[in-house]
Amino acid sequence: MTQSVDCLIVGGGPAGLTAAVYVARFRLSVVVIDAGDSRAAQIPCTRNQACFPEGISGRDLLDRMRQHAIRSGARLERGVVTGLTIDGDAFAVAASGGARVARAVLLATGLSNRRPPMSDDVHAAALAAGRLRYCPVCDGFEVSDQNVAVIGTGEHGVKEALFLRSYTDRVTMISPGATHDLTAAQVKRLDEASVVVLDGPVREIALEGEGLGFVCGVGRRSFEAVYPAMGSVVHSRLAAAVGAGLTDDGCIKVDAHQRTSITGLYAAGDVVIGLDQISHAMGEAGVAATTIRNDLSARRPQIR
């Protein structure tokens, strides 16, 4: 038998779990289906999350948020949503744990960073050691005065290298491929900021001593911190399946209240805009959840 729910949330990261707390406290039934691959779980320690001045790991933060959602009345399920279709004024949701019908769906599916060529074991160890980092907005402060590498090219790589230059005077940008795809103007900006530019490709990445080392176009180099700036894969497949509008980058288009172009479908977090900030994702989730409550009430008031 297909189960019905007021709101189904896809994704159990900071956005999805925050929304779950709100929706449950609005006295609506809510189920969170989580594949268990939130990028937040990879954070060894964040020190810019409010209320945690000593820092907190991503796993511990997610554990606290799950407990909060459950105490508020949300139901959390581990699984994968494999399909989403419009069913009248609701949605039919196909998932590994069984089918659902939901009056509203919130997509908090996030994105995945493109990684340099390295094994899963080395990747995990480098993250845990703080030698591999993905968000200079979050932790640029942590690499102050360190020898830092940015693996990237084009405008995205240039912006990341220049951003990190405000924390340290030792920044090197290395192409993930054989050569950089940089304009003369970009090269000039990097040169004026004293950012060293090297050709790739990057290979044979390994933890060594007090840094992360690899072979590039000029031989083997080692850095205290390495930031991949290689873009990301946005998890907007479910939105596309029902015809929701997407940006050129594949993010889900929403209005100021987190509504997509499809009635009853909402989105929050990095699947909307890749800001990579937990606080921003949580803020969007609060807006989305409140909008869901108000929209559902307008469509069919719930009298308890």
Side-chain angles (χ1 to χ4, degrees):
M1 181 177 177
T2 302
Q3 299 182 37
S4 297
V5 64
D6 289 321
C7 178
L8 186 136
I9 298 173
V10 187
L17 293 171
T18 298
V21 171
Y22 274 68
V23 174
R25 287 173 58 83
F26 288 139
R27 302 189 68 185
L28 297 172
S29 58
V30 55
V31 172
V32 179
I33 300 181
D34 178 26
D37 56 1
S38 170
R39 286 192 305 158
Q42 299 179 9
I43 300 171
C45 182
T46 177
R47 294 184 176 85
N48 71 338
Q49 178 62 33
C51 302
F52 297 100
E54 302 304 319
I56 185 170
S57 74
R59 290 187 180 277
D60 286 346
L61 181 64
L62 289 173
D63 283 344
R64 288 174 178 242
M65 296 185 76
R66 291 188 194 101
Q67 293 172 27
H68 193 172
I70 291 170
R71 288 186 182 184
S72 299
R75 181 175 177 178
L76 309 187
E77 298 181 3
R78 180 60 59 88
V80 177
V81 174
T82 57
L84 182 66
T85 57
I86 299 172
D87 183 10
D89 62 353
F91 294 89
V93 183
S96 54
R100 296 281 197 287
V101 171
R103 297 174 64 206
V105 171
L106 171 63
L107 299 178
T109 43
L111 52 80
S112 298
N113 299 111
R114 291 193 176 95
R115 292 164 41 169
M118 56 200 305
S119 70
D120 289 343
D121 287 345
V122 172
H123 186 266
L127 281 175
R131 301 306 177 192
L132 184 69
R133 299 175 179 271
Y134 281 96
C135 182
V137 174
C138 301
D139 53 31
F141 183 84
E142 312 297 336
V143 303
S144 293
D145 302 322
Q146 291 185 7
N147 188 16
V148 176
V150 173
I151 301 176
T153 190
E155 188 61 20
H156 181 59
V158 170
K159 287 181 177 179
E160 190 139 321
L162 294 177
F163 185 92
L164 285 162
R165 181 63 181 81
S166 65
Y167 292 101
T168 175
D169 60 4
R170 292 181 292 163
V171 178
T172 301
M173 193 172 84
I174 304 164
S175 172
T179 57
H180 277 283
D181 180 18
L182 297 174
T183 66
Q186 289 169 336
V187 171
K188 182 180 179 182
R189 287 160 60 197
L190 292 169
D191 183 63
E192 289 175 344
S194 299
V195 174
V196 177
V197 178
L198 299 177
D199 288 333
V202 173
R203 53 191 174 86
E204 299 179 28
I205 302 174
L207 282 168
E208 49 189 38
E210 296 300 314
L212 190 64
F214 48 79
V215 175
C216 63
V218 295
R220 191 159 194 89
R221 292 289 186 269
S222 184
F223 298 88
E224 293 171 274
V226 175
Y227 284 84
M230 301 166 61
S232 55
V233 177
V234 184
H235 301 157
S236 54
R237 175 184 59 85
L238 294 173
V242 293
L246 305 180
T247 69
D248 291 340
D249 294 330
C251 293
I252 302 174
K253 290 182 178 179
V254 296
D255 67 11
H257 300 278
Q258 308 304 132
R259 299 183 184 97
T260 73
S261 59
I262 302 299
T263 299
L265 183 66
Y266 308 79
D270 287 337
V271 74
V272 173
I273 180 171
L275 191 60
D276 290 355
Q277 294 301 297
I278 291 173
S279 58
H280 185 261
M282 293 170 69
E284 287 190 342
V287 172
T290 304
T291 305
I292 289 169
R293 184 268 171 208
N294 291 339
D295 287 352
L296 289 182
S297 179
R299 284 163 51 189
R300 190 172 70 213
Q302 297 287 296
I303 305 299
R304 296 181 182 273

